[in-house]
Amino acid sequence: MTAANSHDLAIDNVTLVLPDRLLPYGRVLVRGGRITAAGRGANLPARAETTFDGQGLLLAPGFIDLQCNGGFGLDFTTQPETIWAAAGRLPTTGVTTFLPTIITCPLESIAAARIVLGRRPENFRGANPLGLHVEGPFLNPAKKGAHNPAYLRAPEVSLVQEWSPVSGVRLVTLAPELDPAGEVIGQLVDSGVIVSAGHSTATWVEATAAIDQGVRSATHLFNAMPPLHHREPGLVGAVLADQRLKIGLIPDGVHVHPGVLQMVWLAARGRIYIVTDSMAAMGMPPGRYQLGDFAVQVDERQATLPDGTLAGSIVGMDTAVRRFHRFSTCSIPEAVAAATLIPAALLGLADQVGRLARGYPADCVLLTPDLQLVATWIAGELVYHQADESD
């Protein structure tokens, strides 16, 4: 084989986590930051400049987090300029792609975050932001959660006309009952933005109308919405019943009881994508941290406002994947898909990210059999390795 045909990287001796199965004795070949082949090692003899021995561990696609408010002491809403700094550290949690999430705030702050996203630092190494998740300000005040009610407002088409993936907005959470004619939903959908229902009191009728108008996701199911009732199924029931929707869940064991999470998995298998909903305290010790305009008290388990309202989560995506696997009792490929292929499909990018397959970016994570993170690659570059951490 000539040098010109040599690959940049071979990740050898791994068990590949594919969407439908585990494939032992696997190998992944990388050239120019993209996967050129993935399969049984014996079938992929090729020279590589660098070979990484995976020692039989699991190799999965890099994780995708569609709801990340911050982490490592940084809050994206009040400090949008910190998005890139946090992105540089997210690979330590297995995240290779994410949506920085801006919660309810002045519209000028959303505009500032869009500008930050357009200014990728030179020689940046870290998780790739695909655009903002704008969670608010079009939320129902009755289900505001940890959002500042001073900035909540009714949806207006004029306020979202510039929002699109090209301009830095990829996903918007809104309360659909505030847009009964679907004018804002339609504007966003026509612009290529994914619309997700959340922080809402929508009835079954209002929710199903919004789905017909283009809503395709539910933001952190059960949280900031009325509970499921057998005579008034509401938003939760509409989401579980409609196959067109993907369902966001926070599997930290705090936001949703493990038993309920398992029930949702059994009812909506293959439609669930997991998110961290992480806030500034993720990756930090207990203490007081910021989420938007509010100071949040954080202990070893959760983040809350002084009145006890949950204020985001403190888990990283690697922890979220492990807990989802344990609570739902799903298989390892299914747990990984909930953090890779399913969120990619919601974004319309399943042909671009979220798989270990030829032509996809070489965004990968190496995991132990119990899903502990060992290493992360982005575009074929090893950006995190557990062995490099000091004790």
Side-chain angles (χ1 to χ4, degrees):
M1 180 178 294
T2 66
N5 291 326
S6 179
H7 287 75
D8 304 325
L9 171 69
I11 305 176
D12 255 339
N13 187 22
V14 289
T15 295
L16 301 180
V17 183
L18 304 178
D20 58 346
R21 67 192 190 281
L22 299 177
L23 182 66
Y25 311 110
R27 191 179 204 215
V28 169
L29 299 174
V30 179
R31 181 186 291 132
R34 293 192 171 270
I35 297 172
T36 60
R40 288 201 181 275
N43 299 331
L44 302 175
R47 181 180 302 165
E49 296 175 10
T50 302
T51 298
F52 185 97
D53 184 358
Q55 300 180 351
L57 298 178
L58 303 171
L59 189 73
F63 300 146
I64 301 171
D65 190 356
L66 301 189
Q67 192 169 2
C68 175
N69 308 291
F72 315 105
L74 307 173
D75 175 67
F76 298 153
T77 300
T78 58
Q79 303 169 293
E81 68 277 6
T82 65
I83 289 173
W84 291 102
R89 298 181 66 179
L90 282 173
T92 64
T93 68
V95 172
T96 58
T97 303
F98 76 114
L99 299 187
T101 301
I102 306 298
I103 67 169
T104 300
C105 61
L107 293 174
E108 294 78 11
S109 298
I110 299 172
R114 289 166 53 201
I115 292 172
V116 168
L117 277 192
R119 296 176 176 171
R120 184 184 180 94
E122 189 175 355
N123 300 319
F124 172 73
R125 298 172 76 250
N128 291 307
L130 291 182
L132 300 177
H133 174 172
V134 178
E135 187 185 5
F138 313 129
L139 310 180
N140 193 313
K143 292 295 180 181
K144 66 182 186 302
H147 291 245
N148 190 338
Y151 301 125
L152 294 176
R153 58 190 302 168
E156 298 177 29
V157 170
S158 62
L159 302 178
V160 303
Q161 284 180 325
E162 295 183 0
W163 292 2
S164 71
V166 173
S167 72
V169 176
R170 181 74 68 166
L171 188 152
V172 169
T173 291
L174 54 74
E177 69 273 17
L178 303 184
D179 183 34
E183 294 178 350
V184 171
I185 293 171
Q187 171 67 37
L188 291 168
V189 170
D190 289 346
S191 298
V193 177
I194 305 300
V195 182
S196 188
H199 289 270
S200 166
T201 64
T203 64
W204 171 280
V205 172
E206 290 168 331
T208 53
I211 295 168
D212 289 339
Q213 291 158 353
V215 167
R216 287 296 175 267
S217 169
T219 295
H220 46 51
L221 190 70
F222 294 109
N223 296 113
M225 59 187 68
L228 178 67
H229 189 279
H230 59 286
R231 285 191 294 271
E232 177 44 68
L235 179 57
V236 172
V239 168
L240 291 174
D242 199 307
Q243 296 293 316
R244 290 174 291 179
L245 270 76
K246 300 292 191 293
I247 300 170
L249 276 175
I250 307 169
D252 60 351
V254 176
H255 282 77
V256 179
H257 187 280
V260 174
L261 193 151
Q262 184 180 26
M263 177 190 73
V264 173
W265 169 252
L266 295 173
R269 189 173 190 156
R271 292 197 286 130
I272 299 168
Y273 66 93
I274 58 176
V275 298
T276 62
D277 196 22
S278 64
M279 47 83 70
M282 188 269 288
M284 303 293 287
R288 290 175 67 84
Y289 296 90
Q290 202 74 16
L291 178 62
D293 291 332
F294 297 129
V296 178
Q297 185 62 44
V298 175
D299 58 24
E300 292 83 358
R301 183 170 181 264
Q302 62 188 11
T304 57
L305 299 181
D307 66 0
T309 299
L310 288 174
S313 90
I314 60 175
V315 300
M317 186 56 97
D318 54 336
T319 299
V321 170
R322 286 196 302 276
R323 292 184 183 177
F324 181 69
H325 172 56
R326 183 167 79 248
F327 297 154
S328 71
T329 69
C330 70
S331 69
I332 286 177
E334 288 169 327
V336 167
T340 56
L341 188 60
I342 295 172
L346 174 62
L347 298 180
L349 300 175
D351 60 343
Q352 299 179 41
V353 293
R355 287 181 183 266
L356 298 179
R358 180 182 177 87
Y360 282 69
D363 298 344
C364 316
V365 290
L366 190 67
L367 306 167
T368 64
D370 60 354
L371 301 179
Q372 298 286 338
L373 181 67
V374 175
T376 306
W377 290 263
I378 295 179
E381 181 181 4
L382 184 63
V383 294
Y384 168 74
H385 190 230
Q386 187 182 51
D388 296 334
E389 293 188 332
S390 63
D391 296 333

